[in-house]
Amino acid sequence: MAKPKGKTACTLRLVAEAAGDTQAPGAKPDPRLVNLVRLLARQAAREFARSIEEGQADQRPPA
């Protein structure tokens, strides 16, 4: 686990966006955010598959 560096944010900026699924024309999502979402999705899929496998292992008849 990472050690805290003792730094805190002094200000917080809140930006409100209009509701809706459409983006502004020509706007591209931040590639870092896209990569983060993909990484988290893969991790969640692995954990889900692992939990399914563990559940099936508990339900198998003894050999």
Side-chain angles (χ1 to χ4, degrees):
M1 186 163 172
K3 295 179 182 178
K5 295 183 179 182
K7 296 181 180 179
T8 58
C10 297
T11 59
L12 176 65
R13 180 178 167 196
L14 180 63
V15 178
E17 293 184 13
D21 292 65
T22 60
Q23 290 183 344
K28 293 184 179 180
D30 186 349
R32 296 173 297 173
L33 181 60
V34 172
N35 289 334
L36 175 63
V37 170
R38 287 181 181 160
L39 176 73
L40 293 174
R42 285 193 300 262
Q43 182 180 359
R46 274 190 231 108
E47 290 175 4
F48 178 76
R50 190 176 302 128
S51 70
I52 294 296
E53 289 174 357
E54 289 174 358
Q56 288 177 352
D58 295 340
Q59 296 173 3
R60 290 183 187 156

